[in-house]
Amino acid sequence: MQQRSSTGGGGGGGGGLQSPRSPSSQPPYLSISVTDPAKMGNGVQAYISYKVITKTNFPEYQGPEKIVIRRYNDFVWLRDRLFEKYKGIFIPPLPEKSTVEKFRFSAEFIEMRRQALDTFVNRIALHHELQQSEDLRTFLQADEQTMERARSQDTGIFKRKPSDLMQIFRDVQSKVSDVVLGKEKPVEETNPEYEKLKRYIFELEDHLAEAQKHAYRLVKRHRELGQSLADFGKAIKLLGACEGDALGTAFSELGAKSEMLSIKLQKEAHHLLMNFEEPLKDYVRAVQSIKGTIAERANAFRQQVELVETIKLKEIDLNKYRLTRSEKTLEAEHEYEELKADSEEATKRFENIVRLMNEEIVRFQEQKTQDMGLAFHEFAKGQARLANGIADAWRSLLPKLETLSSS
Amino acid sequence: MMAYENQGFEDAQIYASREEMESLVLDDNNNNNGNNGNNESNPNSVRSNGGGGGANGGDGVQSQPYNHPLSAPLPFAEIPTTDDDDPLLSSSSPKKSPNSFNSFLEPPSYAEAVFRSFDGDHGKQVNGHGGVSTSSPSSSSEYLKISVTDPHKEQDLNNSLVPGGNAYMTYLVTTWTNLPEFNGTEFSVRRRFKDVVTLSDRLADSYRGFFIPLRPDKSVVEGQVMQKQEFVEQRRMALEKYLRKLAAHPVIRRSEELRLFLQVQGKLPLVKTTDVASRMLDGAAKLPKQLFGESVVSAAVDPNDVSQPAKGGRDLLRIFKELRQSVTNDWGGTKPPVDFEQELSNVSQQAESLVKAQQDIGETLGQLGLAFVKLTKFESEEAMFNSQKVRAGDMKNVATSAVKASRLYRELNAQTVRHLDKLHEYLGVMLAVNNAYADRSNALLTVQTLLSELSTLNARVEKLEAAASKIFGVTVREYERIKENNKNELERLDQERHDDFFGMLKGFVANQAGYAEKMASVWETVANETSGYAKNS
């Protein structure tokens, strides 16, 4: 049950950081923490800012420690940039933007978000390729003004994610070429293994979403049971006050125990939320991120295929021009060479994505086994702790009841 | 119980194949398991699954399985004493060591010692007050056991204005007893609900001052609903419970009214009394001889003393004053505080919420378990990497544990319901207490009315004195007897309540502890198996 196979590439799990230019005196490290959420601004404009503390000995970074202030949208920017630049790699997921206004500043929500953001940046820092990203350096070190500028540049007038914009552009492009090439159907890979993987990812998301839903409900149930016990305890204490004598004391003791257990239940509910439900949600997000990568791969494939087709047509034209010794020949040759270069690049890009994805999927599976293993452990530990607490509390009451009942 | 114990735990572990895992239908499977606690209660479980579960076939057939556990193993079942029914409560008795609770982790002894349920349903309780009751008869060999079965539709041909007539339900009331008042040891009669109402009214008349158990509600429902199985079954259970409570009451069980109800074949020979007013004023004339010559009620007041003072007008006034004084003292001393009833009602409500919350958490755990079962199946089906297989294995452990825990919650809840049901029962008892006090105040009113009337009629003093000495004496005597009944009843009730409540508390607490330990053990196993992941992070 506890095999931890370290097959495949990438720095899965802890350690294993690789930075080609780091000094050999000390193993390279890049460790980040996201802390101290603070509410900034007022009213509708209000938001939460976080302290991002970077500790590293990477030569590209300024000094061993750096602290900057960042907000959620900065993290979004970073993610989008990485998604653009590192196609084929599964970019770590971000926590969702909150939709419910009143929930936005609740302590629990903020804490969950902080934890998720911390996990996000650290996963980037641990990924052998992503950790070298220039955008990451900007994010971790730039002052707030620079950061804000960078952020507003990329979001553009439409306030869309860059990947969204590119996607639209590509869609239009491909539609045009479809018409030109007389194709209506989208072009897709015919790779059975890859098909299997795609199906797996899509189905996995459904299963995980369901598990996460029930995990969230379980948190709620703990809270409800806790509340019930508190109310019950209070009521039975009042009853005890009415009764008086031994019976009254018994009721009071029982009521007190109930109230104590109610607190334990609330604590466990919180623990469950942070250490079991949140990892499950994180898993769902990760799968959604992979779907993004799948889309990127499809795009890359399409581009490659379209270029090949375009080149073929260009060749026909070129030969035509050559035969007729047209003035357009030179221009056509030039274009032809360009297209060939583009095609080579497109092919390389696509193949790169394929290669990366193959590595990434292995890393992903390993990481998830690790993450879920820990989540299960915390879940079981929490439940055991709660159950033991309950058992102890009630058991300690029994001898007292015994004494009281015989008095 | 032992068989179930192992089965429940082993079940999930044996499920190696995913199909079996998926067919872990919690509802049916679990209900049957949960109620198969005792061998005796197997047939019970069919019925106790609610109206839908076992209620197949006709009226008669439905109740048949219910009858058997009572008649077959213990034909003349004794009224359980403290030792018998609930081991949780007899922990002070020699055969149960106080350390039996520490053996929670061993399934067989654990199950035996702690979770031997209250012999199936509450319906099986012989005396309606549950496991511990000190209201058992003076000699332990006397018993009066009643069962209500076999609901049967009949036509009321006499009053039929409508073709088809008025249909009504009758029930077979079977009694086993060795009490001398009854002629015979086992007999059955057919009674309808109206008869029970009559009985209840007559008892209320005859036993004023006693805490008479409340009879089941008359439901105002349409004719068709009356015949619906669920309603009929509910009513049957309620009637049985009520009659058993009567049988448990030390005084009422020996009443003539009850005997007539239980024994006389054909039409019930009790006349329905609707005249409430007459109770007030003619109390003396209508007093059955029980109140006068009853040996159980100790005549604290010497009848002679009471009838003596009616010698002259002055004495009447004196006695009136004295009486008033004594009543004021009485009320202050023994009337139960209204608060108690309120608090009890509140606790009852909260208890219901608690049970619901326990049920919900169990359900959600089960659903979570199933979701993980599906995930496990999915991941292992076409695992491309070893890490997936590892994860599937971990997930399966969590899934089976969640399912186990869910079942434990279900069982816990079934038990909790029984324990906390006591509270609901006591609400009923409190109302009975209030009625008894109402009786007393009615009687007192009668006395006061008579006295005030008498004291103003100067002209006819002599004649009235003669009459008064008879009525007054009788009425005062009646009042004193009622007061005495109250006092005895209150003491009896107090002790019973004391015992019952402690029984409930201990049972509830032991139950919670026991199941919590079981759950802890389940989760500790998983925590240990996954501890490797913690070291890595």
Side-chain angles (χ1 to χ4, degrees):
Chain A
M1 283 300 155
Q2 297 179 21
Q3 312 167 15
R4 221 146 312 288
S5 53
S6 44
T7 57
L17 298 172
Q18 293 154 38
S19 183
R21 280 164 279 166
S22 64
S24 50
S25 54
Q26 206 188 4
Y29 67 91
L30 173 60
S31 134
I32 310 164
S33 71
V34 177
T35 60
D36 288 341
K39 184 169 173 190
M40 315 284 278
N42 288 313
V44 202
Q45 305 279 351
Y47 64 93
I48 302 284
S49 75
Y50 305 87
K51 224 185 252 178
V52 179
I53 306 170
T54 308
K55 294 197 173 101
T56 179
N57 63 357
F58 280 22
E60 301 86 9
Y61 282 77
Q62 314 157 4
E65 181 172 314
K66 179 99 183 174
I67 301 180
V68 296
I69 306 291
R70 294 285 178 259
R71 55 185 291 186
Y72 178 75
N73 286 339
D74 297 329
F75 289 83
V76 174
W77 171 86
L78 176 60
R79 194 201 169 259
D80 291 344
R81 299 289 299 185
L82 294 175
F83 185 73
E84 267 305 302
K85 296 238 173 89
Y86 292 89
K87 298 200 187 10
I89 293 184
F90 302 158
I91 311 296
L94 272 177
E96 296 83 7
K97 214 163 180 36
S98 94
T99 43
V100 184
E101 179 56 40
K102 67 171 178 176
F103 195 45
R104 204 149 64 94
F105 294 110
S106 81
E108 199 171 73
F109 176 76
I110 291 171
E111 175 55 21
M112 283 187 350
R113 178 170 269 200
R114 187 207 62 75
Q115 193 173 291
L117 292 175
D118 187 289
T119 308
F120 167 72
V121 282
N122 277 297
R123 278 181 177 152
I124 295 171
L126 288 171
H127 192 284
H128 63 108
E129 281 216 36
L130 295 177
Q131 72 186 197
Q132 296 172 41
S133 148
E134 199 181 306
D135 293 316
L136 177 66
R137 281 200 290 281
T138 309
F139 177 83
L140 291 176
Q141 299 185 114
D143 60 69
E144 279 171 69
Q145 269 185 331
T146 315
M147 191 68 235
E148 206 180 313
R149 224 183 312 129
R151 209 178 64 227
S152 48
Q153 258 174 15
D154 285 345
T155 43
I157 345 163
F158 301 110
K159 289 228 163 43
R160 276 183 176 280
K161 290 200 302 205
S163 49
D164 287 344
L165 219 51
M166 288 309 292
Q167 187 63 42
I168 295 169
F169 181 60
R170 269 191 290 273
D171 284 339
V172 169
Q173 213 182 23
S174 63
K175 285 233 166 39
V176 166
S177 48
D178 275 350
V179 170
V180 163
L181 296 173
K183 288 196 183 100
E184 294 302 337
K185 254 190 339 169
V187 179
E188 274 182 12
E189 295 177 56
T190 51
N191 178 344
E193 280 247 346
Y194 184 57
E195 288 300 310
K196 202 167 104 164
L197 177 69
K198 279 196 280 185
R199 266 199 315 270
Y200 167 81
I201 291 294
F202 277 77
E203 242 192 274
L204 181 64
E205 189 187 359
D206 290 337
H207 284 297
L208 286 175
E210 196 188 327
Q212 184 259 322
K213 182 175 78 174
H214 290 300
Y216 181 67
R217 278 209 201 126
L218 189 64
V219 172
K220 250 191 8 191
R221 298 295 185 219
H222 276 70
R223 292 204 172 120
E224 286 162 8
L225 184 60
Q227 187 60 49
S228 276
L229 271 171
D231 294 338
F232 179 72
K234 207 160 65 175
I236 219 167
K237 266 161 85 172
L238 287 173
L239 188 67
C242 275
E243 276 282 347
D245 289 348
L247 194 54
T249 313
F251 278 145
S252 296
E253 297 273 345
L254 186 82
K257 278 282 191 263
S258 279
E259 286 178 330
M260 186 263 271
L261 286 177
S262 157
I263 296 171
K264 275 205 212 277
L265 268 158
Q266 298 296 351
K267 259 174 63 180
E268 179 56 29
H270 181 76
H271 177 261
L272 206 56
L273 181 71
M274 303 302 284
N275 297 296
F276 181 63
E277 195 262 346
E278 186 59 22
L280 270 171
K281 232 178 18 208
D282 175 66
Y283 201 166
V284 174
R285 291 181 199 132
V287 172
Q288 285 165 347
S289 173
I290 295 178
K291 279 161 82 177
T293 307
I294 289 176
E296 285 297 333
R297 173 163 161 167
N299 278 336
F301 180 72
R302 228 189 0 247
Q303 275 176 15
Q304 182 207 24
V305 165
E306 280 160 13
L307 275 168
V308 166
E309 292 295 324
T310 314
I311 283 174
K312 280 204 204 122
L313 291 174
K314 210 56 179 187
E315 234 175 340
I316 293 169
D317 283 346
L318 187 61
N319 288 333
K320 226 181 356 182
Y321 290 146
R322 279 189 181 141
L323 280 172
T324 62
R325 288 185 173 272
S326 157
E327 322 80 58
K328 292 199 193 146
T329 311
L330 206 58
E331 201 190 319
E333 266 171 10
H334 193 61
E335 281 172 11
Y336 180 72
E337 289 307 315
E338 267 187 22
L339 273 174
K340 279 197 71 182
D342 283 346
S343 173
E344 262 179 52
E345 258 208 55
T347 308
K348 242 192 281 180
R349 266 203 306 270
F350 171 71
E351 280 169 1
N352 197 41
I353 290 179
V354 172
R355 175 186 63 83
L356 281 171
M357 271 188 84
N358 288 336
E359 289 174 12
E360 285 288 285
I361 193 71
V362 175
R363 183 186 66 84
F364 169 74
Q365 295 288 18
E366 279 174 16
Q367 173 144 49
K368 277 319 167 194
T369 301
Q370 188 64 34
D371 291 343
M372 288 317 291
L374 181 62
F376 292 148
H377 177 72
E378 289 296 326
F379 176 45
K381 212 169 72 170
Q383 292 291 297
R385 182 176 49 221
L386 177 69
N388 275 320
I390 292 175
D392 288 341
W394 291 126
R395 229 180 323 127
S396 70
L397 187 58
L398 277 170
K400 240 182 262 184
L401 285 181
E402 217 41 65
T403 323
L404 286 169
S405 70
S406 48
S407 66
Chain B
M1 192 69 171
M2 277 171 69
Y4 161 69
E5 210 34 63
N6 292 331
Q7 189 199 344
F9 274 74
E10 244 78 307
D11 260 352
Q13 283 166 357
I14 291 172
Y15 285 163
S17 85
R18 304 163 211 126
E19 291 78 30
E20 285 172 6
M21 190 81 100
E22 276 207 304
S23 66
L24 275 178
V25 181
L26 290 180
D27 290 312
D28 294 333
N29 201 15
N30 201 41
N31 263 340
N32 287 332
N33 282 344
N35 285 326
N36 274 347
N38 294 320
N39 314 330
E40 301 167 333
S41 60
N42 270 338
N44 234 9
S45 70
V46 175
R47 193 188 58 74
S48 65
N49 272 357
N56 302 315
D59 297 344
V61 175
Q62 173 190 334
S63 52
Q64 278 313 315
Y66 187 80
N67 222 355
H68 291 163
L70 300 178
S71 44
L74 300 164
F76 292 116
E78 280 149 18
I79 299 167
T81 57
T82 51
D83 270 1
D84 193 49
D85 216 21
D86 198 342
L88 301 169
L89 307 163
S90 57
S91 50
S92 56
S93 70
K95 66 182 179 189
K96 282 276 171 277
S97 77
N99 288 328
S100 67
F101 298 111
N102 288 336
S103 62
F104 282 163
L105 295 183
E106 296 170 61
S109 57
Y110 175 43
E112 284 297 312
V114 180
F115 299 116
R116 221 186 83 200
S117 49
F118 292 128
D119 266 324
D121 267 341
H122 53 268
K124 272 187 100 179
Q125 294 299 335
V126 173
N127 65 31
H129 292 291
V132 181
S133 176
T134 51
S135 67
S136 28
S138 43
S139 96
S140 58
S141 65
E142 285 186 350
Y143 60 87
L144 175 62
K145 199 159 126 41
I146 305 173
S147 80
V148 175
T149 55
D150 193 28
H152 188 61
K153 191 163 81 171
E154 293 186 20
Q155 300 287 350
D156 186 359
L157 299 167
N158 294 338
N159 296 341
S160 59
L161 301 168
V162 180
N166 297 326
Y168 59 90
M169 279 294 178
T170 62
Y171 302 84
L172 187 68
V173 180
T174 312
T175 313
W176 297 264
T177 180
N178 66 353
L179 291 175
E181 295 86 49
F182 294 86
N183 311 321
T185 49
E186 184 179 333
F187 39 86
S188 303
V189 297
R190 280 231 154 242
R191 294 284 180 243
R192 56 186 292 188
F193 188 76
K194 240 162 71 167
D195 296 334
V196 176
V197 175
T198 307
L199 171 66
S200 161
D201 290 343
R202 290 299 304 270
L203 286 174
D205 279 350
S206 308
Y207 291 90
R208 295 159 69 194
F210 284 91
F211 301 163
I212 303 169
L214 297 176
R215 65 157 168 76
D217 290 329
K218 292 179 198 170
S219 301
V220 184
V221 288
E222 296 187 3
Q224 274 192 326
V225 181
M226 291 256 172
Q227 287 157 38
K228 260 198 166 167
Q229 268 179 356
E230 250 180 70
F231 176 77
V232 168
E233 176 53 22
Q234 270 177 24
R235 181 156 271 194
R236 186 203 63 74
M237 270 167 57
L239 291 178
E240 187 173 79
K241 209 168 173 180
Y242 172 65
L243 289 174
R244 284 179 174 178
K245 279 192 192 154
L246 292 182
H249 194 290
V251 173
I252 290 177
R253 77 204 305 243
R254 313 200 84 116
S255 71
E256 181 68 1
E257 285 88 350
L258 184 61
R259 189 192 75 73
L260 292 175
F261 179 90
L262 289 176
Q263 199 162 37
V264 174
Q265 294 288 343
K267 196 164 179 309
L268 178 68
L270 284 176
V271 177
K272 211 169 132 104
T273 52
T274 49
D275 191 354
V276 178
S278 61
R279 278 172 62 191
M280 298 271 291
L281 299 172
D282 299 350
K286 286 218 169 155
L287 270 183
K289 60 183 172 96
Q290 275 101 329
L291 270 184
F292 283 102
E294 182 69 305
S295 53
V296 175
V297 180
S298 57
V301 177
D302 184 3
N304 289 331
D305 282 347
V306 179
S307 56
Q308 281 303 335
K311 279 178 205 144
R314 307 145 255 136
D315 287 329
L316 276 175
L317 285 174
R318 177 174 58 83
I319 288 156
F320 179 61
K321 261 195 228 153
E322 279 172 11
L323 201 57
R324 199 192 245 163
Q325 190 58 49
S326 73
V327 164
T328 317
N329 296 340
D330 288 345
W331 275 120
T334 52
K335 183 174 194 275
V338 181
D339 288 336
F340 181 74
E341 200 174 324
Q342 261 176 6
E343 299 306 339
L344 191 59
S345 162
N346 193 23
V347 170
S348 170
Q349 257 182 328
Q350 298 307 336
E352 276 184 42
S353 301
L354 180 64
V355 163
K356 171 133 201 326
Q358 265 178 190
Q359 184 182 313
D360 286 344
I361 199 174
E363 245 174 57
T364 303
L365 262 172
Q367 286 168 333
L368 182 71
L370 281 183
F372 274 123
V373 163
K374 284 194 233 160
L375 246 178
T376 303
K377 180 175 170 181
F378 173 69
E379 285 281 16
S380 38
E381 226 151 42
E382 288 151 63
M384 295 178 275
F385 303 98
N386 191 47
S387 52
Q388 284 174 286
K389 293 198 187 118
V390 171
R391 195 180 332 137
D394 293 334
M395 226 176 249
K396 185 163 143 200
N397 285 344
V398 173
T400 52
S401 299
V403 169
K404 274 187 212 170
S406 163
R407 286 199 173 129
L408 287 172
Y409 265 112
R410 220 174 250 259
E411 279 177 51
L412 165 67
N413 228 19
Q415 306 278 0
T416 307
V417 163
R418 288 200 193 100
H419 291 117
L420 297 183
D421 226 17
K422 267 271 165 280
L423 288 170
H424 299 268
E425 252 185 58
Y426 255 91
L427 266 181
V429 169
M430 290 313 298
L431 289 175
V433 169
N434 272 354
N435 287 347
Y437 276 101
D439 280 347
R440 195 159 102 177
S441 68
N442 286 343
L444 184 62
L445 196 58
T446 307
V447 172
Q448 287 179 331
T449 310
L450 285 174
L451 284 175
S452 68
E453 280 178 14
L454 286 171
S455 69
T456 60
L457 295 169
N458 294 317
R460 295 163 68 190
V461 160
E462 236 178 50
K463 212 174 170 187
L464 287 167
E465 266 183 20
S469 73
K470 193 173 165 212
I471 296 171
F472 176 63
V474 164
T475 314
V476 164
R477 210 172 353 163
E478 177 194 346
Y479 171 74
E480 290 295 329
R481 285 205 198 280
I482 290 173
K483 203 178 78 180
E484 189 60 33
N485 293 342
N486 268 175
K487 186 157 146 289
N488 292 339
E489 281 286 82
L490 203 57
E491 274 168 22
R492 179 183 70 86
L493 197 67
D494 242 9
Q495 186 56 42
E496 208 174 88
R497 185 179 57 175
H498 181 272
D499 292 341
D500 277 352
F501 266 142
F502 267 108
M504 171 196 93
L505 288 179
K506 283 190 267 186
F508 172 75
V509 169
N511 213 33
Q512 292 280 335
Y515 276 106
E517 285 195 353
K518 265 185 172 177
M519 281 193 242
S521 120
V522 166
W523 289 117
E524 269 162 12
T525 312
V526 179
N528 286 335
E529 284 169 359
T530 52
S531 58
Y533 293 104
K535 291 185 213 129
N536 272 359
S537 68

